[in-house]
Every structure is written in C-alpha cells, then in structure tokens.
Amino acid sequence: MSPAALRSAPFAPRLVLPSPNGSSIAAAAGGSMVVAGCLRNASAVGRWLAQHGYGTLDRPVAVIAAGERWPDGSLRPALEDLLGAGAVLAALREQCGGPLSPEAAAAADCFEATPDVRSAVTGSASGRELTGGGFAGDVDIATELDVCDIVPILTDGAFTAAG
C-alpha cells in the first residue's frame, strides 16, 4: 500500500509499513537509541534530540541515510534519504548551535542548498522510478517538509511516539 493510498484508506490504530533498509539498520542498532527522521518530521526530530542532550561531544548522534537496493541487492544511494538526513542534521545544528562533523555538515549543507526539495527528489532516480510507476503522489507526500511533529523512537522492536 502506498502512502498516497493510505490517505484514503480506513483508519487503522496501528499500521506496519515495510522499509527493508531502514528496518535492517534499526534492528542492527542493538541497544542504541533509534529515532526515525525524514523530511516530514526533520525539525521535530532535531528539536527532540537537542532537548534530550543528543548531538553533543558527550552524546553524539549517528544519522544514517538508509538508501535503497538495486535489483542485484547492492546499495543504491537515494537523494531523498541524503536530503532527509541533511534536514534532521540542519535542524539539530540550529537547535544546538554546535559544530557537526564534516560529513554531517555536508549533508546539512546539501539540504539547505537545495532550493526545491520536491523537484530535486522528483528528478532523482527513485523519484523518476516512482513517478513512472504511477506513484507521483507518494513522492509528493515523502517530500512534504516538517508536516509532522511525531518523533518515532524504537522501543521493544516497534516505533512509538516519543513522550
């Protein structure tokens, strides 16, 4: 079921959506705190991290752009994931005021230097693939900036809203 189709689907109190790379990364994180962020909740995640003391030298944060897989199973970098990670990092930098690692700063700078995120993602390999497959609405939904204040935290194998 696509995100656009979900908007017209009957309400479900609980829903599981597959994200093979994201799920694998979250599961591999072991006992580490895992917070899910994207373009849609970047500012909320950055604010939550800063409010809970993350993103400092004492409590560093690893932000991972999950990417996708090519048909042969190899990693396919995804522009939307780079921009989503950059959006979270830009929000964290704004909240903390502290320096980011060079890699994190590059991702944040990439996001901030992209004047039209929706157009960039639509023109990317995955955006063209989704649009060509009839899922342009999903690209539109995925690129909505800061439309959600929910901060999902991985707890006992499932993501729940941070309190």
Side-chain angles (χ1 to χ4, degrees):
M1 182 167 265
S2 79
L6 282 175
R7 287 197 166 164
S8 61
F11 173 76
R14 223 175 141 106
L15 182 65
V16 176
L17 297 175
S19 170
N21 287 351
S23 297
S24 296
I25 292 167
S32 300
M33 166 76 69
V34 177
V35 179
C38 64
L39 292 167
R40 296 177 50 84
N41 70 345
S43 290
V45 169
R47 187 171 44 254
W48 187 91
L49 290 169
Q51 288 170 348
H52 289 84
Y54 292 100
T56 65
L57 291 176
D58 293 331
R59 294 181 88 183
V61 173
V63 177
I64 302 168
E68 300 178 18
R69 296 279 175 191
W70 290 107
D72 69 1
S74 63
L75 183 62
R76 173 175 134 175
L79 178 62
E80 63 273 19
D81 290 350
L82 170 63
L83 293 173
V88 169
L89 289 161
L92 181 60
R93 177 168 58 190
E94 181 180 317
Q95 292 291 317
C96 290
L100 299 174
S101 70
E103 297 86 352
D109 292 347
C110 180
F111 167 74
E112 290 175 333
T114 303
D116 185 347
V117 170
R118 179 171 285 160
S119 291
V121 172
T122 300
S124 72
S126 54
R128 290 190 316 273
E129 182 180 289
L130 285 168
T131 299
F135 296 100
D138 290 355
V139 177
D140 290 340
I141 291 169
T143 56
E144 293 174 343
L145 296 173
D146 289 326
V147 296
C148 180
D149 286 329
I150 295 171
V151 177
I153 307 289
L154 185 62
T155 307
D156 296 326
F159 282 98
T160 58

